[in-house]
Amino acid sequence: MTEMKATIDHIVINVSDIEQMLDFYTRVIGLEPARVDQWRAGEVPFPSLRLCDDSLIDLFPPQMWDPKGQGDTRSQTSNYDHFCLTLAREDWDAVRERLTGEGTRIEVAPTTRWGAHGDGTSVYIRDPEGNRVELRYYG
């Protein structure tokens, strides 16, 4: 059997305050917004944040939380624990400074953890809606 290679196209986060999440992920974390003007104009159902040329984080408003189309807009439960963003070391340092300036608590101090590229250094934080995010750089 041939080993398959895959990449992440996008991650979807159900959010109740999209503007707050856009501010956090663009201003504090430093991600590039995508389709925000179109979303604000009502032309698209949700905005996104660009991780890289190949990957996005989509921010779903409450009206999109119903995957079965049954009118249930309550947050869906899942086995989600966290997602990990890999940054260059200098960007990782800058993000940590911005997090400190914002009063965002670092849940787990910097330590070495294994990931897609071997051992890296990372911390865990919570975004404004409580999602757990790992921020990592590789040596």
Side-chain angles (χ1 to χ4, degrees), residues 111-123:
T111 191
T112 301
R113 291 182 181 84
W114 185 83
H117 299 280
D119 287 336
T121 301
S122 67
V123 297

Side-chain angles (χ1 to χ4, degrees), residues 5 23 29 43 50 54 59 89 93 103 112 120-121 134:
K5 296 288 183 182
D23 178 63
I29 301 298
E43 298 167 0
R50 184 153 299 281
D54 300 319
L59 303 178
R89 172 63 193 258
D93 289 335
T112 301
T121 301
E134 182 179 356

Side-chain angles (χ1 to χ4, degrees), residues 10 16 25 28 41 54 65 84 90 106 113 117 126 129:
H10 67 277
S16 57
Y25 281 101
V28 180
D54 300 319
W65 295 0
C84 180
E90 56 274 6
I106 293 177
R113 291 182 181 84
H117 299 280
R126 298 279 174 171
E129 295 211 5

Side-chain angles (χ1 to χ4, degrees), residues 4-73:
M4 181 186 77
K5 296 288 183 182
T7 62
I8 291 181
D9 183 86
H10 67 277
I11 297 167
V12 174
I13 303 174
N14 291 338
V15 299
S16 57
D17 188 337
I18 288 181
E19 293 293 351
Q20 181 183 38
M21 294 289 272
L22 285 169
D23 178 63
F24 178 79
Y25 281 101
T26 58
R27 187 176 55 79
V28 180
I29 301 298
L31 299 181
E32 177 186 342
R35 300 182 348 144
V36 173
D37 291 337
Q38 296 93 323
W39 170 73
R40 288 181 178 140
E43 298 167 0
V44 297
F46 60 89
S48 300
L49 300 154
R50 184 153 299 281
L51 294 171
C52 64
D53 289 342
D54 300 319
S55 302
L56 296 167
I57 296 175
D58 295 333
L59 303 178
F60 274 19
Q63 62 268 28
M64 293 187 67
W65 295 0
D66 181 17
K68 296 179 184 174
Q70 298 174 348
D72 184 0
T73 58

